[in-house]
Amino acid sequence: MSASIDDFYHQKTDADLQFFVDHPELYQPSLIDAARRELRRRGVAPAVAAPAELPPLTYVSPEPAAPSGLRTGPLTLGLAAVLLVGLGGFYVVKQKNQPPPPPAAPAKPKAPPQLVEVETSAIPTYDGLVAQAVAQQVKRLPAAEVAAAKAKADGMALRQYRELAKRFWAAECQTEYLTSQAHEGKASAMFADQALVARTTWSAWNKAAVYTYKFGPAMQEDFQRMQKVASSQQHVLERMPDLLPKKAFLKDKELNARDTEVQDWLRAIRVASPVTGKPYKATVLKMQM
Protein backbone atom coordinates (compact mmCIF):
# COMPACT_ATOMS: atom_id res chain seq x y z
CA MET A 1 0.00 0.00 0.00
CA SER A 2 1.52 3.41 -0.98
CA ALA A 3 2.09 6.24 1.52
CA SER A 4 -0.59 8.46 0.01
CA ILE A 5 -3.18 5.71 0.36
CA ASP A 6 -2.07 4.98 3.94
CA ASP A 7 -2.42 8.65 4.80
CA PHE A 8 -5.93 8.53 3.36
CA TYR A 9 -6.96 5.80 5.79
CA HIS A 10 -4.94 7.22 8.70
CA GLN A 11 -6.83 10.48 8.38
CA LYS A 12 -10.18 8.70 8.65
CA THR A 13 -11.83 8.22 11.96
CA ASP A 14 -12.92 4.87 13.23
CA ALA A 15 -16.49 5.79 12.41
CA ASP A 16 -15.55 6.63 8.83
CA LEU A 17 -13.76 3.33 8.37
CA GLN A 18 -16.65 1.45 9.94
CA PHE A 19 -19.03 3.17 7.51
CA PHE A 20 -17.01 1.77 4.62
CA VAL A 21 -17.26 -1.71 6.10
CA ASP A 22 -20.99 -1.43 6.82
CA HIS A 23 -21.83 -0.32 3.29
CA PRO A 24 -19.90 -2.56 0.89
CA GLU A 25 -22.46 -1.98 -1.86
CA LEU A 26 -21.30 1.66 -2.14
CA TYR A 27 -17.53 1.16 -2.52
CA GLN A 28 -14.99 -0.97 -4.27
CA PRO A 29 -13.96 -4.22 -2.59
CA SER A 30 -10.32 -3.07 -2.29
CA LEU A 31 -11.40 0.02 -0.33
CA ILE A 32 -13.51 -2.11 2.01
CA ASP A 33 -10.59 -4.49 2.66
CA ALA A 34 -8.22 -1.61 3.35
CA ALA A 35 -10.71 -0.11 5.82
CA ARG A 36 -10.91 -3.43 7.67
CA ARG A 37 -7.11 -3.69 7.88
CA GLU A 38 -6.82 -0.15 9.22
CA LEU A 39 -9.38 -0.86 11.90
CA ARG A 40 -7.50 -4.01 12.93
CA ARG A 41 -4.23 -2.05 13.00
CA ARG A 42 -5.86 0.41 15.38
CA GLY A 43 -7.04 -2.49 17.48
CA VAL A 44 -10.66 -1.94 16.59
CA ALA A 45 -12.37 -5.00 15.18
CA PRO A 46 -14.73 -4.02 12.39
CA ALA A 47 -18.26 -4.43 13.50
CA VAL A 48 -20.45 -6.78 11.50
CA ALA A 49 -23.90 -5.49 10.82
CA ALA A 50 -26.31 -7.56 12.85
CA PRO A 51 -29.18 -9.01 10.92
CA ALA A 52 -32.38 -7.18 11.37
CA GLU A 53 -34.58 -8.82 13.90
CA LEU A 54 -37.81 -10.26 12.62
CA PRO A 55 -40.93 -8.95 14.25
CA PRO A 56 -42.51 -11.40 16.65
CA LEU A 57 -45.04 -13.68 15.08
CA THR A 58 -48.59 -13.07 16.10
CA TYR A 59 -51.09 -15.89 15.65
CA VAL A 60 -54.23 -14.79 13.98
CA SER A 61 -57.09 -17.25 13.90
CA PRO A 62 -58.47 -17.71 10.36
CA GLU A 63 -61.89 -16.36 9.67
CA PRO A 64 -64.43 -18.92 8.58
CA ALA A 65 -64.64 -19.03 4.78
CA ALA A 66 -67.84 -17.89 3.19
CA PRO A 67 -69.86 -20.85 1.98
CA SER A 68 -69.49 -21.38 -1.77
CA GLY A 69 -72.31 -22.32 -4.11
CA LEU A 70 -76.00 -21.76 -3.76
CA ARG A 71 -77.73 -22.01 -0.46
CA THR A 72 -80.13 -24.90 -0.43
CA GLY A 73 -82.36 -24.00 2.39
CA PRO A 74 -86.16 -24.46 2.17
CA LEU A 75 -86.69 -20.79 1.36
CA THR A 76 -84.15 -20.87 -1.46
CA LEU A 77 -85.65 -24.00 -3.01
CA GLY A 78 -89.11 -22.51 -2.83
CA LEU A 79 -88.04 -19.31 -4.57
CA ALA A 80 -86.31 -21.34 -7.30
CA ALA A 81 -89.44 -23.40 -7.90
CA VAL A 82 -91.61 -20.28 -8.17
CA LEU A 83 -89.12 -18.73 -10.60
CA LEU A 84 -89.08 -21.83 -12.84
CA VAL A 85 -92.88 -22.01 -12.93
CA GLY A 86 -93.08 -18.34 -13.83
CA LEU A 87 -90.56 -18.67 -16.64
CA GLY A 88 -92.37 -21.73 -18.02
CA GLY A 89 -95.70 -19.94 -18.05
CA PHE A 90 -94.15 -16.91 -19.73
CA TYR A 91 -92.66 -19.13 -22.47
CA VAL A 92 -96.01 -20.86 -23.13
CA VAL A 93 -97.89 -17.57 -23.36
CA LYS A 94 -95.24 -16.13 -25.65
CA GLN A 95 -95.46 -19.14 -27.96
CA LYS A 96 -99.26 -18.87 -28.17
CA ASN A 97 -99.22 -15.15 -28.92
CA GLN A 98 -96.41 -15.41 -31.48
CA PRO A 99 -97.72 -15.61 -35.07
CA PRO A 100 -96.89 -18.83 -36.95
CA PRO A 101 -93.85 -18.66 -39.22
CA PRO A 102 -94.61 -17.92 -42.86
CA PRO A 103 -94.77 -21.01 -45.08
CA ALA A 104 -91.60 -21.77 -46.97
CA ALA A 105 -91.64 -20.76 -50.59
CA PRO A 106 -92.11 -23.80 -52.84
CA ALA A 107 -88.95 -24.84 -54.62
CA LYS A 108 -88.87 -24.05 -58.28
CA PRO A 109 -89.24 -27.21 -60.35
CA LYS A 110 -86.07 -28.14 -62.16
CA ALA A 111 -86.17 -28.23 -65.89
CA PRO A 112 -86.13 -31.78 -67.28
CA PRO A 113 -82.79 -32.84 -68.74
CA GLN A 114 -82.46 -32.37 -72.45
CA LEU A 115 -81.89 -35.50 -74.45
CA VAL A 116 -79.23 -35.15 -77.10
CA GLU A 117 -78.79 -37.62 -79.91
CA VAL A 118 -75.28 -38.99 -80.19
CA GLU A 119 -73.92 -40.77 -83.22
CA THR A 120 -73.10 -44.40 -82.52
CA SER A 121 -71.78 -47.34 -84.49
CA ALA A 122 -74.22 -49.74 -82.83
CA ILE A 123 -76.50 -51.73 -85.11
CA PRO A 124 -79.97 -52.88 -84.01
CA THR A 125 -80.09 -56.45 -82.79
CA TYR A 126 -82.14 -58.86 -84.83
CA ASP A 127 -81.98 -61.97 -82.64
CA GLY A 128 -85.74 -62.47 -82.79
CA LEU A 129 -85.90 -61.99 -86.56
CA VAL A 130 -82.92 -64.29 -87.05
CA ALA A 131 -84.55 -67.09 -85.06
CA GLN A 132 -87.78 -66.60 -87.01
CA ALA A 133 -85.96 -66.63 -90.36
CA VAL A 134 -84.14 -69.86 -89.48
CA ALA A 135 -87.38 -71.58 -88.43
CA GLN A 136 -89.14 -70.50 -91.63
CA GLN A 137 -86.23 -71.62 -93.77
CA VAL A 138 -86.24 -75.09 -92.21
CA LYS A 139 -90.02 -75.28 -92.52
CA ARG A 140 -89.94 -74.80 -96.30
CA LEU A 141 -87.58 -77.76 -96.78
CA PRO A 142 -89.10 -80.99 -98.10
CA ALA A 143 -90.49 -83.01 -95.19
CA ALA A 144 -88.83 -86.22 -96.39
CA GLU A 145 -85.43 -84.54 -96.49
CA VAL A 146 -85.88 -83.13 -92.99
CA ALA A 147 -86.92 -86.55 -91.65
CA ALA A 148 -83.89 -88.19 -93.28
CA ALA A 149 -81.58 -85.53 -91.83
CA LYS A 150 -83.00 -86.13 -88.35
CA ALA A 151 -82.54 -89.88 -88.63
CA LYS A 152 -78.98 -89.77 -89.97
CA ALA A 153 -76.12 -89.45 -87.44
CA ASP A 154 -78.41 -88.35 -84.64
CA GLY A 155 -79.67 -85.38 -86.64
CA MET A 156 -76.22 -83.81 -87.07
CA ALA A 157 -76.88 -82.60 -90.63
CA LEU A 158 -80.03 -80.74 -89.58
CA ARG A 159 -78.24 -79.11 -86.64
CA GLN A 160 -75.44 -78.02 -88.95
CA TYR A 161 -77.95 -76.58 -91.41
CA ARG A 162 -79.67 -74.62 -88.63
CA GLU A 163 -76.36 -73.25 -87.36
CA LEU A 164 -75.31 -72.14 -90.85
CA ALA A 165 -78.67 -70.47 -91.41
CA LYS A 166 -78.40 -68.71 -88.04
CA ARG A 167 -74.97 -67.27 -88.84
CA PHE A 168 -76.10 -66.31 -92.32
CA TRP A 169 -79.18 -64.35 -91.25
CA ALA A 170 -77.35 -62.68 -88.34
CA ALA A 171 -74.97 -61.10 -90.86
CA GLU A 172 -77.55 -60.61 -93.62
CA CYS A 173 -79.93 -58.68 -91.34
CA GLN A 174 -77.16 -56.26 -90.39
CA THR A 175 -76.19 -55.85 -94.04
CA GLU A 176 -79.75 -55.19 -95.17
CA TYR A 177 -80.19 -52.63 -92.40
CA LEU A 178 -77.12 -50.68 -93.55
CA THR A 179 -77.92 -50.84 -97.27
CA SER A 180 -81.51 -49.74 -96.66
CA GLN A 181 -80.24 -46.79 -94.59
CA ALA A 182 -77.96 -45.81 -97.46
CA HIS A 183 -80.75 -46.04 -100.06
CA GLU A 184 -83.07 -43.93 -97.88
CA GLY A 185 -80.40 -41.28 -97.31
CA LYS A 186 -80.25 -42.03 -93.58
CA ALA A 187 -76.70 -43.35 -93.37
CA SER A 188 -74.95 -41.95 -90.31
CA ALA A 189 -71.47 -40.53 -90.07
CA MET A 190 -70.49 -43.84 -88.45
CA PHE A 191 -71.51 -45.87 -91.52
CA ALA A 192 -67.96 -47.07 -92.22
CA ASP A 193 -67.64 -48.37 -88.66
CA GLN A 194 -71.05 -50.00 -88.87
CA ALA A 195 -70.07 -51.70 -92.12
CA LEU A 196 -66.99 -53.05 -90.38
CA VAL A 197 -69.18 -54.48 -87.61
CA ALA A 198 -71.35 -56.26 -90.18
CA ARG A 199 -68.29 -57.64 -91.96
CA THR A 200 -67.09 -59.00 -88.62
CA THR A 201 -70.42 -60.79 -88.24
CA TRP A 202 -69.96 -62.29 -91.70
CA SER A 203 -66.60 -63.68 -90.56
CA ALA A 204 -68.46 -66.09 -88.25
CA TRP A 205 -70.28 -67.42 -91.32
CA ASN A 206 -67.03 -67.66 -93.28
CA LYS A 207 -65.44 -69.88 -90.63
CA ALA A 208 -68.30 -72.38 -90.85
CA ALA A 209 -68.76 -72.22 -94.63
CA VAL A 210 -65.31 -73.62 -95.45
CA TYR A 211 -66.34 -77.14 -94.41
CA THR A 212 -68.06 -79.79 -96.51
CA TYR A 213 -71.45 -80.95 -95.28
CA LYS A 214 -73.54 -84.01 -96.15
CA PHE A 215 -76.81 -82.27 -96.86
CA GLY A 216 -79.79 -83.40 -98.89
CA PRO A 217 -80.48 -81.76 -102.28
CA ALA A 218 -82.65 -78.86 -101.03
CA MET A 219 -80.41 -78.12 -98.06
CA GLN A 220 -77.33 -78.20 -100.29
CA GLU A 221 -78.89 -75.74 -102.76
CA ASP A 222 -79.73 -73.35 -99.90
CA PHE A 223 -76.17 -73.66 -98.63
CA GLN A 224 -74.75 -72.75 -102.04
CA ARG A 225 -77.12 -69.78 -102.41
CA MET A 226 -76.15 -68.52 -98.95
CA GLN A 227 -72.47 -68.79 -99.92
CA LYS A 228 -73.04 -66.63 -103.01
CA VAL A 229 -75.05 -64.04 -101.08
CA ALA A 230 -72.41 -63.86 -98.35
CA SER A 231 -69.61 -63.28 -100.85
CA SER A 232 -71.46 -60.47 -102.67
CA GLN A 233 -72.72 -58.74 -99.53
CA GLN A 234 -69.24 -58.59 -98.01
CA HIS A 235 -67.98 -56.99 -101.21
CA VAL A 236 -70.82 -54.44 -101.07
CA LEU A 237 -70.01 -53.55 -97.45
CA GLU A 238 -66.39 -53.01 -98.40
CA ARG A 239 -67.13 -50.57 -101.23
CA MET A 240 -70.29 -48.75 -100.19
CA PRO A 241 -68.79 -46.40 -97.52
CA ASP A 242 -66.70 -44.68 -100.21
CA LEU A 243 -69.73 -44.33 -102.51
CA LEU A 244 -72.11 -42.75 -99.98
CA PRO A 245 -71.62 -39.08 -101.01
CA LYS A 246 -74.46 -38.09 -103.36
CA LYS A 247 -75.49 -41.78 -103.42
CA ALA A 248 -72.81 -42.60 -105.92
CA PHE A 249 -73.41 -46.31 -105.26
CA LEU A 250 -76.66 -46.07 -107.24
CA LYS A 251 -74.66 -45.40 -110.41
CA ASP A 252 -72.07 -48.08 -109.77
CA LYS A 253 -72.69 -50.88 -112.28
CA GLU A 254 -70.92 -53.55 -110.27
CA LEU A 255 -72.90 -52.90 -107.09
CA ASN A 256 -76.15 -52.76 -109.04
CA ALA A 257 -75.39 -56.12 -110.65
CA ARG A 258 -74.54 -57.66 -107.30
CA ASP A 259 -77.75 -56.32 -105.75
CA THR A 260 -79.78 -57.91 -108.54
CA GLU A 261 -78.10 -61.27 -108.03
CA VAL A 262 -78.48 -61.13 -104.25
CA GLN A 263 -82.19 -60.39 -104.58
CA ASP A 264 -82.64 -63.39 -106.88
CA TRP A 265 -80.71 -65.79 -104.64
CA LEU A 266 -82.57 -64.68 -101.51
CA ARG A 267 -85.92 -64.99 -103.28
CA ALA A 268 -85.22 -68.70 -103.68
CA ILE A 269 -84.75 -69.01 -99.89
CA ARG A 270 -87.59 -66.81 -98.60
CA VAL A 271 -90.12 -64.37 -100.00
CA ALA A 272 -89.43 -61.09 -98.18
CA SER A 273 -86.70 -59.41 -96.19
CA PRO A 274 -86.97 -59.98 -92.42
CA VAL A 275 -85.60 -56.44 -91.91
CA THR A 276 -87.57 -54.23 -94.31
CA GLY A 277 -90.47 -56.56 -95.06
CA LYS A 278 -90.05 -55.82 -98.76
CA PRO A 279 -90.24 -58.81 -101.14
CA TYR A 280 -87.03 -59.97 -102.71
CA LYS A 281 -87.00 -59.50 -106.47
CA ALA A 282 -86.49 -62.58 -108.57
CA THR A 283 -84.74 -62.16 -111.89
CA VAL A 284 -87.02 -62.97 -114.79
CA LEU A 285 -85.29 -63.88 -118.02
CA LYS A 286 -87.15 -62.76 -121.10
CA MET A 287 -86.74 -64.87 -124.19
CA GLN A 288 -87.01 -63.22 -127.56
CA MET A 289 -88.99 -65.21 -130.10
Side-chain angles (χ1 to χ4, degrees):
M1 184 181 299
S2 62
S4 60
I5 295 177
D6 292 339
D7 293 341
F8 171 80
Y9 290 105
H10 294 164
Q11 295 173 1
K12 298 297 181 182
T13 63
D14 294 344
D16 293 335
L17 296 174
Q18 186 63 43
F19 183 85
F20 294 152
V21 174
D22 293 340
H23 299 84
E25 72 276 9
L26 302 178
Y27 304 98
Q28 296 180 359
S30 59
L31 190 148
I32 304 301
D33 294 338
R36 286 196 181 97
R37 287 194 298 271
E38 180 61 21
L39 287 173
R40 292 192 189 97
R41 189 185 66 79
R42 297 179 184 181
V44 180
V48 179
E53 295 183 358
L54 297 176
L57 298 177
T58 304
Y59 176 77
V60 180
S61 60
E63 296 182 359
S68 60
L70 298 176
R71 300 179 64 182
T72 57
L75 180 59
T76 302
L77 294 177
L79 291 175
V82 172
L83 180 60
L84 289 176
V85 172
L87 290 175
F90 173 75
Y91 177 78
V92 172
V93 172
K94 183 179 180 181
Q95 291 295 321
K96 289 183 178 180
N97 296 333
Q98 187 174 2
K108 295 182 179 180
K110 296 183 179 180
Q114 296 182 354
L115 301 179
V116 180
E117 293 185 358
V118 180
E119 292 285 354
T120 176
S121 60
I123 299 177
T125 57
Y126 294 100
D127 295 344
L129 293 179
V130 170
Q132 184 179 1
V134 172
Q136 292 174 350
Q137 185 169 329
V138 173
K139 187 177 181 179
R140 56 173 291 279
L141 292 172
E145 187 171 332
V146 173
K150 289 181 179 179
K152 186 183 298 184
D154 196 21
M156 180 180 294
L158 186 59
R159 291 198 304 272
Q160 292 172 339
Y161 179 84
R162 288 179 181 274
E163 180 61 27
L164 285 169
K166 178 182 177 181
R167 297 189 183 194
F168 173 83
W169 286 112
E172 177 62 21
C173 285
Q174 292 182 353
T175 303
E176 291 187 16
Y177 166 77
L178 293 177
T179 54
S180 64
Q181 291 287 300
H183 281 272
E184 295 173 6
K186 298 180 180 179
S188 70
M190 306 293 291
F191 186 87
D193 294 333
Q194 292 174 323
L196 184 59
V197 172
R199 291 171 61 187
T200 303
T201 307
W202 276 116
S203 65
W205 157 268
N206 296 337
K207 293 178 181 178
V210 297
Y211 297 100
T212 301
Y213 299 96
K214 296 180 179 180
F215 293 145
M219 296 169 65
Q220 184 64 30
E221 288 180 359
D222 284 348
F223 178 48
Q224 292 174 351
R225 293 188 184 100
M226 289 188 292
Q227 284 180 310
K228 294 177 182 178
V229 172
S231 177
S232 288
Q233 294 290 57
Q234 291 179 72
H235 185 77
V236 170
L237 290 173
E238 183 179 359
R239 292 200 56 204
M240 184 168 280
D242 296 332
L243 300 175
L244 278 180
K246 298 182 180 181
K247 293 186 178 181
F249 58 87
L250 295 177
K251 300 178 181 179
D252 190 274
K253 294 182 179 180
E254 181 191 5
L255 292 188
N256 288 333
R258 287 184 179 275
D259 181 65
T260 301
E261 291 176 341
V262 167
Q263 292 279 326
D264 186 60
W265 292 325
L266 289 173
R267 177 71 181 189
I269 298 176
R270 59 177 293 124
V271 176
S273 166
V275 177
T276 64
K278 297 179 180 180
Y280 293 120
K281 298 177 181 180
T283 301
V284 179
L285 299 177
K286 295 182 179 180
M287 298 181 62
Q288 294 181 354
M289 300 298 294

